[in-house]
Amino acid sequence: MTGITVIVNPLKVGNLDEARAALSTELAKFGVHEFEWVPTTAEDTGEGQARAAVEAGAEMIFSWGGDGTVRAVASGMLDSGIPLGIIPGGTGNLVAKNLKLPDNVHGAVAVAMGGGAKTIDVNEVDLGDDVRRISLLICGMGLDAAVIDSPERLKAIMGPGAYAVAAVKNALGDAKPITVTIDNELPRRLPARMALAGNFGKMQMGVNLFDHCDPTDGQVAVFVAKLRGLREAASTGRNVMLHITAHGKHRLQLSGKRVVFQTTEPW
């Protein structure tokens, strides 16, 4: 195969020269001796580079970085029909883990070049004020957003443990009203501290937030947790760890093609 573009996040791969050399070695095993090497920047985290690669006629695009890099690159490739190869290089790498992709360059390249492409759903997220994004994994409000926004410095020091620290730090707080509407069903209004919607549910430490989640069925899985106080937070946390996340007293487990979260105050 020719026409390969590799979009790499310099903050996630360490020494760029060594990373490029390692990738060159692996691609050469498949007869690929030349490829475009395009680093991301603070101003463009992958979407613009991916769009440019599509326009230039790339036959395959690799994303090398974390989940944010994968999302940005995929956003620039939408509806192109070009396959996306993923080389995990971030802290969580949850897209790769949910797709059961190898966490090393050798294995990731072998899977990408093996010819077995998988088509998954892409969720469109309307943030209001004409701002739209895509989501491959999970998008959320409340506790989840606070955890995901863990400082990069903390992630660099602690790795996946940074998410656990952020979860404990933000675990307690006041629940706020949210209205959840799935497709044409009647709206559900409840107090909550976390609202999630996504394609995949597997998170760090083996946690799986959704009972039934298929990234190819055109459905969005939804998990809303009240987490009002230490007892509810502990109960929900225990149930999630035990894979008991079904609809219950302190949580909703739903799915549909269109999900709307509405709030009356900032989360």
Side-chain angles (χ1 to χ4, degrees):
M1 177 183 289
T2 60
I4 290 180
T5 296
V6 180
I7 300 174
V8 56
N9 184 338
L11 300 178
K12 300 295 183 179
V13 302
N15 186 298
L16 279 179
D17 291 335
E18 292 179 0
R20 184 170 185 172
L23 180 60
S24 180
T25 297
E26 296 302 326
L27 287 175
K29 297 175 183 178
F30 295 89
V32 177
H33 302 286
E34 294 183 1
F35 55 89
E36 295 294 322
W37 179 258
V38 185
T40 64
T41 65
E43 295 74 27
D44 193 335
T45 58
E47 182 174 351
Q49 294 91 332
R51 189 174 294 111
V54 171
E55 293 174 353
E59 296 178 65
M60 173 178 281
I61 298 175
F62 278 87
S63 167
W64 193 349
D67 290 317
T69 306
V70 175
R71 189 208 63 79
V73 172
S75 183
M77 296 173 62
L78 281 181
D79 299 322
S80 68
I82 299 172
L84 168 63
I86 298 176
I87 304 176
T91 305
N93 301 316
L94 294 176
V95 173
K97 288 178 180 177
N98 277 277
L99 290 172
K100 296 181 173 58
L101 298 178
D103 63 357
N104 56 79
V105 177
H106 169 76
V109 171
V111 169
M113 300 299 292
K118 180 181 181 70
T119 301
I120 66 171
D121 299 331
V122 174
N123 298 326
E124 183 181 43
V125 185
D126 185 346
L127 301 174
D129 297 325
D130 294 324
V131 177
R132 293 177 180 270
R133 298 285 188 271
I134 69 163
S135 171
L136 302 179
L137 186 68
I138 294 177
C139 57
M141 301 170 57
L143 177 60
D144 173 72
V147 171
I148 294 301
D149 284 341
S150 301
E152 289 295 329
R153 181 181 178 185
L154 188 62
K155 294 178 186 177
I157 296 173
M158 299 187 64
Y163 296 114
V165 171
V168 172
K169 180 180 178 182
N170 294 280
L172 299 180
D174 295 329
K176 297 182 180 180
I178 184 171
T179 300
V180 183
T181 306
I182 308 293
D183 297 331
N184 296 319
E185 297 178 8
L186 290 175
R188 297 170 171 87
R189 183 174 173 83
L190 70 156
R193 294 227 36 243
M194 181 171 69
L196 306 172
N199 280 338
F200 300 103
K202 186 176 181 180
M203 304 296 285
Q204 299 291 353
M205 300 178 289
V207 172
N208 197 327
L209 292 172
F210 303 126
D211 285 339
H212 305 288
C213 195
D214 182 349
T216 66
D217 65 357
Q219 297 276 317
V220 180
V222 176
F223 181 58
V224 181
K226 295 181 180 180
L227 304 177
R228 297 172 302 183
L230 183 59
R231 179 173 296 182
E232 284 189 6
S235 174
T236 299
R238 180 194 67 227
N239 290 334
V240 167
M241 293 301 294
L242 294 174
H243 307 291
I244 307 172
T245 55
H247 186 101
K249 182 178 180 181
H250 304 309
R251 58 198 179 275
L252 295 178
Q253 183 81 225
L254 308 164
S255 65
K257 292 185 177 296
R258 184 173 183 269
V259 179
V260 178
F261 295 145
Q262 293 176 301
T263 61
T264 55
E265 55 186 282
W267 271 45

